[in-house]
PDB file of all heavy atoms in Angstrom:
ATOM      1  N   VAL A   8       7.484   3.235  -7.651  1.00 88.00           N
ATOM      2  CA  VAL A   8       8.242   4.299  -8.309  1.00 88.00           C
ATOM      3  C   VAL A   8       9.735   4.135  -8.036  1.00 88.00           C
ATOM      4  O   VAL A   8      10.145   3.432  -7.123  1.00 88.00           O
ATOM      5  CB  VAL A   8       7.787   5.702  -7.850  1.00 88.00           C
ATOM      6  CG1 VAL A   8       6.287   5.872  -8.017  1.00 88.00           C
ATOM      7  CG2 VAL A   8       8.182   5.964  -6.403  1.00 88.00           C
ATOM      8  N   GLY A   9      10.515   4.833  -8.842  1.00 86.00           N
ATOM      9  CA  GLY A   9      11.962   4.833  -8.666  1.00 86.00           C
ATOM     10  C   GLY A   9      12.614   5.432  -9.890  1.00 86.00           C
ATOM     11  O   GLY A   9      11.942   5.775 -10.870  1.00 86.00           O
ATOM     12  N   LEU A  10      13.938   5.553  -9.856  1.00 84.00           N
ATOM     13  CA  LEU A  10      14.678   6.001 -11.027  1.00 84.00           C
ATOM     14  C   LEU A  10      14.623   4.910 -12.099  1.00 84.00           C
ATOM     15  O   LEU A  10      14.318   3.751 -11.795  1.00 84.00           O
ATOM     16  CB  LEU A  10      16.130   6.290 -10.656  1.00 84.00           C
ATOM     17  CG  LEU A  10      16.369   7.472  -9.701  1.00 84.00           C
ATOM     18  CD1 LEU A  10      17.841   7.540  -9.303  1.00 84.00           C
ATOM     19  CD2 LEU A  10      15.937   8.781 -10.335  1.00 84.00           C
ATOM     20  N   PRO A  11      14.941   5.237 -13.360  1.00 80.00           N
ATOM     21  CA  PRO A  11      14.997   4.185 -14.382  1.00 80.00           C
ATOM     22  C   PRO A  11      16.032   3.115 -14.023  1.00 80.00           C
ATOM     23  O   PRO A  11      17.068   3.404 -13.427  1.00 80.00           O
ATOM     24  CB  PRO A  11      15.431   4.959 -15.643  1.00 80.00           C
ATOM     25  CG  PRO A  11      15.001   6.367 -15.394  1.00 80.00           C
ATOM     26  CD  PRO A  11      15.177   6.581 -13.918  1.00 80.00           C
ATOM     27  N   GLY A  75      10.038   5.158 -14.630  1.00 61.00           N
ATOM     28  CA  GLY A  75      11.112   5.774 -13.860  1.00 61.00           C
ATOM     29  C   GLY A  75      11.142   7.292 -13.956  1.00 61.00           C
ATOM     30  O   GLY A  75      11.011   7.866 -15.033  1.00 61.00           O
ATOM     31  N   LEU A  76      11.341   7.940 -12.811  1.00 58.00           N
ATOM     32  CA  LEU A  76      11.498   9.393 -12.760  1.00 58.00           C
ATOM     33  C   LEU A  76      12.974   9.745 -12.889  1.00 58.00           C
ATOM     34  O   LEU A  76      13.845   8.941 -12.554  1.00 58.00           O
ATOM     35  CB  LEU A  76      10.975   9.943 -11.430  1.00 58.00           C
ATOM     36  CG  LEU A  76       9.465   9.939 -11.223  1.00 58.00           C
ATOM     37  CD1 LEU A  76       9.150  10.224  -9.776  1.00 58.00           C
ATOM     38  CD2 LEU A  76       8.812  10.984 -12.109  1.00 58.00           C
ATOM     39  N   VAL A  77      13.253  10.941 -13.346  1.00 54.00           N
ATOM     40  CA  VAL A  77      14.634  11.432 -13.397  1.00 54.00           C
ATOM     41  C   VAL A  77      14.684  12.827 -12.798  1.00 54.00           C
ATOM     42  O   VAL A  77      13.656  13.471 -12.600  1.00 54.00           O
ATOM     43  CB  VAL A  77      15.168  11.490 -14.854  1.00 54.00           C
ATOM     44  CG1 VAL A  77      15.297  10.100 -15.445  1.00 54.00           C
ATOM     45  CG2 VAL A  77      14.272  12.367 -15.735  1.00 54.00           C
ATOM     46  N   LEU A  91       4.440  12.013 -12.997  1.00 76.00           N
ATOM     47  CA  LEU A  91       4.009  12.581 -11.719  1.00 76.00           C
ATOM     48  C   LEU A  91       2.489  12.524 -11.594  1.00 76.00           C
ATOM     49  O   LEU A  91       1.951  12.336 -10.506  1.00 76.00           O
ATOM     50  CB  LEU A  91       4.502  14.024 -11.592  1.00 76.00           C
ATOM     51  CG  LEU A  91       6.013  14.187 -11.356  1.00 76.00           C
ATOM     52  CD1 LEU A  91       6.422  15.638 -11.542  1.00 76.00           C
ATOM     53  CD2 LEU A  91       6.415  13.699  -9.978  1.00 76.00           C
ATOM     54  N   ILE A  94       1.561   9.150 -10.354  1.00 85.00           N
ATOM     55  CA  ILE A  94       1.801   9.030  -8.916  1.00 85.00           C
ATOM     56  C   ILE A  94       0.684   9.717  -8.138  1.00 85.00           C
ATOM     57  O   ILE A  94       0.241   9.237  -7.102  1.00 85.00           O
ATOM     58  CB  ILE A  94       3.172   9.632  -8.525  1.00 85.00           C
ATOM     59  CG1 ILE A  94       4.304   8.885  -9.232  1.00 85.00           C
ATOM     60  CG2 ILE A  94       3.389   9.568  -7.015  1.00 85.00           C
ATOM     61  CD1 ILE A  94       5.673   9.527  -9.061  1.00 85.00           C
ATOM     62  N   ILE A 100       2.891   5.008  -1.885  1.00 93.00           N
ATOM     63  CA  ILE A 100       4.069   4.894  -2.748  1.00 93.00           C
ATOM     64  C   ILE A 100       5.012   3.817  -2.235  1.00 93.00           C
ATOM     65  O   ILE A 100       5.374   3.798  -1.059  1.00 93.00           O
ATOM     66  CB  ILE A 100       4.819   6.242  -2.817  1.00 93.00           C
ATOM     67  CG1 ILE A 100       3.932   7.316  -3.466  1.00 93.00           C
ATOM     68  CG2 ILE A 100       6.135   6.094  -3.590  1.00 93.00           C
ATOM     69  CD1 ILE A 100       4.520   8.715  -3.406  1.00 93.00           C
ATOM     70  N   HIS A 102       8.679   2.972  -2.948  1.00 93.00           N
ATOM     71  CA  HIS A 102       9.848   3.590  -3.583  1.00 93.00           C
ATOM     72  C   HIS A 102      10.968   2.555  -3.678  1.00 93.00           C
ATOM     73  O   HIS A 102      11.518   2.126  -2.672  1.00 93.00           O
ATOM     74  CB  HIS A 102      10.294   4.804  -2.760  1.00 93.00           C
ATOM     75  CG  HIS A 102      11.410   5.583  -3.376  1.00 93.00           C
ATOM     76  ND1 HIS A 102      11.837   6.778  -2.861  1.00 93.00           N
ATOM     77  CD2 HIS A 102      12.193   5.353  -4.457  1.00 93.00           C
ATOM     78  CE1 HIS A 102      12.831   7.239  -3.609  1.00 93.00           C
ATOM     79  NE2 HIS A 102      13.061   6.376  -4.565  1.00 93.00           N
ATOM     80  N   VAL A 103      11.288   2.136  -4.912  1.00 91.00           N
ATOM     81  CA  VAL A 103      12.317   1.127  -5.136  1.00 91.00           C
ATOM     82  C   VAL A 103      13.677   1.809  -5.275  1.00 91.00           C
ATOM     83  O   VAL A 103      13.850   2.718  -6.089  1.00 91.00           O
ATOM     84  CB  VAL A 103      12.017   0.287  -6.388  1.00 91.00           C
ATOM     85  CG1 VAL A 103      13.095  -0.784  -6.599  1.00 91.00           C
ATOM     86  CG2 VAL A 103      10.642  -0.370  -6.275  1.00 91.00           C
ATOM     87  N   ILE A 104      14.631   1.340  -4.463  1.00 91.00           N
ATOM     88  CA  ILE A 104      15.986   1.893  -4.469  1.00 91.00           C
ATOM     89  C   ILE A 104      16.955   0.810  -4.937  1.00 91.00           C
ATOM     90  O   ILE A 104      16.957  -0.302  -4.389  1.00 91.00           O
ATOM     91  CB  ILE A 104      16.411   2.360  -3.056  1.00 91.00           C
ATOM     92  CG1 ILE A 104      15.392   3.337  -2.479  1.00 91.00           C
ATOM     93  CG2 ILE A 104      17.805   2.973  -3.091  1.00 91.00           C
ATOM     94  CD1 ILE A 104      15.301   4.650  -3.189  1.00 91.00           C
ATOM     95  N   ARG A 123      21.662   9.145  -2.697  1.00 88.00           N
ATOM     96  CA  ARG A 123      21.491  10.159  -3.751  1.00 88.00           C
ATOM     97  C   ARG A 123      20.196   9.910  -4.516  1.00 88.00           C
ATOM     98  O   ARG A 123      19.446  10.841  -4.831  1.00 88.00           O
ATOM     99  CB  ARG A 123      22.682  10.092  -4.712  1.00 88.00           C
ATOM    100  CG  ARG A 123      22.586  11.055  -5.913  1.00 88.00           C
ATOM    101  CD  ARG A 123      23.423  10.570  -7.084  1.00 88.00           C
ATOM    102  NE  ARG A 123      22.996   9.255  -7.509  1.00 88.00           N
ATOM    103  CZ  ARG A 123      23.809   8.340  -8.049  1.00 88.00           C
ATOM    104  NH1 ARG A 123      25.094   8.601  -8.222  1.00 88.00           N
ATOM    105  NH2 ARG A 123      23.339   7.157  -8.424  1.00 88.00           N
ATOM    106  N   ASP A 124      19.908   8.645  -4.807  1.00 87.00           N
ATOM    107  CA  ASP A 124      18.708   8.316  -5.567  1.00 87.00           C
ATOM    108  C   ASP A 124      17.436   8.681  -4.799  1.00 87.00           C
ATOM    109  O   ASP A 124      16.458   9.161  -5.383  1.00 87.00           O
ATOM    110  CB  ASP A 124      18.691   6.819  -5.909  1.00 87.00           C
ATOM    111  CG  ASP A 124      19.810   6.435  -6.883  1.00 87.00           C
ATOM    112  OD1 ASP A 124      20.502   7.353  -7.371  1.00 87.00           O
ATOM    113  OD2 ASP A 124      19.984   5.234  -7.138  1.00 87.00           O
ATOM    114  N   ILE A 125      17.451   8.446  -3.483  1.00 90.00           N
ATOM    115  CA  ILE A 125      16.317   8.855  -2.645  1.00 90.00           C
ATOM    116  C   ILE A 125      16.100  10.354  -2.758  1.00 90.00           C
ATOM    117  O   ILE A 125      14.979  10.834  -2.929  1.00 90.00           O
ATOM    118  CB  ILE A 125      16.565   8.479  -1.164  1.00 90.00           C
ATOM    119  CG1 ILE A 125      16.413   6.981  -0.958  1.00 90.00           C
ATOM    120  CG2 ILE A 125      15.583   9.219  -0.239  1.00 90.00           C
ATOM    121  CD1 ILE A 125      16.747   6.527   0.450  1.00 90.00           C
ATOM    122  N   GLU A 126      17.192  11.091  -2.669  1.00 90.00           N
ATOM    123  CA  GLU A 126      17.110  12.550  -2.692  1.00 90.00           C
ATOM    124  C   GLU A 126      16.539  13.051  -4.018  1.00 90.00           C
ATOM    125  O   GLU A 126      15.755  14.011  -4.049  1.00 90.00           O
ATOM    126  CB  GLU A 126      18.505  13.146  -2.458  1.00 90.00           C
ATOM    127  CG  GLU A 126      18.519  14.651  -2.255  1.00 90.00           C
ATOM    128  CD  GLU A 126      17.687  15.099  -1.056  1.00 90.00           C
ATOM    129  OE1 GLU A 126      17.585  14.330  -0.068  1.00 90.00           O
ATOM    130  OE2 GLU A 126      17.116  16.203  -1.112  1.00 90.00           O
ATOM    131  N   VAL A 127      16.909  12.398  -5.132  1.00 87.00           N
ATOM    132  CA  VAL A 127      16.398  12.800  -6.451  1.00 87.00           C
ATOM    133  C   VAL A 127      14.876  12.684  -6.484  1.00 87.00           C
ATOM    134  O   VAL A 127      14.174  13.618  -6.871  1.00 87.00           O
ATOM    135  CB  VAL A 127      17.026  11.944  -7.577  1.00 87.00           C
ATOM    136  CG1 VAL A 127      16.295  12.192  -8.905  1.00 87.00           C
ATOM    137  CG2 VAL A 127      18.503  12.280  -7.746  1.00 87.00           C
ATOM    138  N   ILE A 128      14.364  11.515  -6.062  1.00 87.00           N
ATOM    139  CA  ILE A 128      12.912  11.301  -6.092  1.00 87.00           C
ATOM    140  C   ILE A 128      12.202  12.235  -5.116  1.00 87.00           C
ATOM    141  O   ILE A 128      11.200  12.879  -5.453  1.00 87.00           O
ATOM    142  CB  ILE A 128      12.567   9.837  -5.764  1.00 87.00           C
ATOM    143  CG1 ILE A 128      13.184   8.881  -6.796  1.00 87.00           C
ATOM    144  CG2 ILE A 128      11.048   9.653  -5.689  1.00 87.00           C
ATOM    145  CD1 ILE A 128      12.608   8.985  -8.175  1.00 87.00           C
ATOM    146  N   HIS A 129      12.732  12.324  -3.892  1.00 90.00           N
ATOM    147  CA  HIS A 129      12.123  13.203  -2.884  1.00 90.00           C
ATOM    148  C   HIS A 129      12.054  14.645  -3.390  1.00 90.00           C
ATOM    149  O   HIS A 129      11.049  15.334  -3.210  1.00 90.00           O
ATOM    150  CB  HIS A 129      12.926  13.160  -1.587  1.00 90.00           C
ATOM    151  CG  HIS A 129      12.631  11.955  -0.749  1.00 90.00           C
ATOM    152  ND1 HIS A 129      13.018  11.825   0.560  1.00 90.00           N
ATOM    153  CD2 HIS A 129      11.960  10.812  -1.041  1.00 90.00           C
ATOM    154  CE1 HIS A 129      12.612  10.664   1.035  1.00 90.00           C
ATOM    155  NE2 HIS A 129      11.979  10.033   0.078  1.00 90.00           N
ATOM    156  N   THR A 130      13.147  15.105  -4.003  1.00 88.00           N
ATOM    157  CA  THR A 130      13.211  16.490  -4.494  1.00 88.00           C
ATOM    158  C   THR A 130      12.170  16.739  -5.574  1.00 88.00           C
ATOM    159  O   THR A 130      11.475  17.766  -5.562  1.00 88.00           O
ATOM    160  CB  THR A 130      14.612  16.811  -5.025  1.00 88.00           C
ATOM    161  OG1 THR A 130      15.563  16.689  -3.957  1.00 88.00           O
ATOM    162  CG2 THR A 130      14.682  18.221  -5.596  1.00 88.00           C
ATOM    163  N   GLU A 131      12.050  15.804  -6.516  1.00 85.00           N
ATOM    164  CA  GLU A 131      11.107  16.002  -7.613  1.00 85.00           C
ATOM    165  C   GLU A 131       9.658  16.013  -7.119  1.00 85.00           C
ATOM    166  O   GLU A 131       8.849  16.820  -7.570  1.00 85.00           O
ATOM    167  CB  GLU A 131      11.296  14.922  -8.687  1.00 85.00           C
ATOM    168  CG  GLU A 131      12.632  15.007  -9.406  1.00 85.00           C
ATOM    169  CD  GLU A 131      12.922  16.397  -9.962  1.00 85.00           C
ATOM    170  OE1 GLU A 131      11.988  17.027 -10.506  1.00 85.00           O
ATOM    171  OE2 GLU A 131      14.077  16.849  -9.848  1.00 85.00           O
ATOM    172  N   LEU A 132       9.347  15.139  -6.188  1.00 89.00           N
ATOM    173  CA  LEU A 132       7.987  15.121  -5.636  1.00 89.00           C
ATOM    174  C   LEU A 132       7.709  16.398  -4.845  1.00 89.00           C
ATOM    175  O   LEU A 132       6.621  16.977  -4.943  1.00 89.00           O
ATOM    176  CB  LEU A 132       7.788  13.899  -4.745  1.00 89.00           C
ATOM    177  CG  LEU A 132       7.925  12.520  -5.399  1.00 89.00           C
ATOM    178  CD1 LEU A 132       7.580  11.414  -4.401  1.00 89.00           C
ATOM    179  CD2 LEU A 132       7.065  12.392  -6.644  1.00 89.00           C
ATOM    180  N   ALA A 133       8.727  16.841  -4.091  1.00 91.00           N
ATOM    181  CA  ALA A 133       8.562  18.064  -3.292  1.00 91.00           C
ATOM    182  C   ALA A 133       8.408  19.288  -4.184  1.00 91.00           C
ATOM    183  O   ALA A 133       7.599  20.178  -3.905  1.00 91.00           O
ATOM    184  CB  ALA A 133       9.750  18.241  -2.348  1.00 91.00           C
ATOM    185  N   THR A 198       3.874  14.296  -1.679  1.00 94.00           N
ATOM    186  CA  THR A 198       4.664  13.973  -0.474  1.00 94.00           C
ATOM    187  C   THR A 198       3.791  13.728   0.753  1.00 94.00           C
ATOM    188  O   THR A 198       4.306  13.447   1.827  1.00 94.00           O
ATOM    189  CB  THR A 198       5.696  15.084  -0.166  1.00 94.00           C
ATOM    190  OG1 THR A 198       4.994  16.289   0.185  1.00 94.00           O
ATOM    191  CG2 THR A 198       6.610  15.345  -1.338  1.00 94.00           C
ATOM    192  N   LEU A 202       4.457   6.151   2.441  1.00 94.00           N
ATOM    193  CA  LEU A 202       5.546   5.620   1.612  1.00 94.00           C
ATOM    194  C   LEU A 202       6.330   4.552   2.360  1.00 94.00           C
ATOM    195  O   LEU A 202       6.529   4.639   3.579  1.00 94.00           O
ATOM    196  CB  LEU A 202       6.461   6.778   1.194  1.00 94.00           C
ATOM    197  CG  LEU A 202       7.768   6.471   0.459  1.00 94.00           C
ATOM    198  CD1 LEU A 202       8.076   7.580  -0.551  1.00 94.00           C
ATOM    199  CD2 LEU A 202       8.947   6.340   1.432  1.00 94.00           C
TER     200      LEU A 202
END
Side-chain angles (χ1 to χ4, degrees):
V8 307
L10 294 174
L76 288 168
V77 294
L91 288 168
I94 299 172
I100 296 172
H102 185 173
V103 181
I104 306 293
R123 177 204 59 211
D124 293 354
I125 286 176
E126 189 60 31
V127 169
I128 299 293
H129 280 193
T130 298
E131 294 308 319
L132 298 185
T198 66
L202 173 146

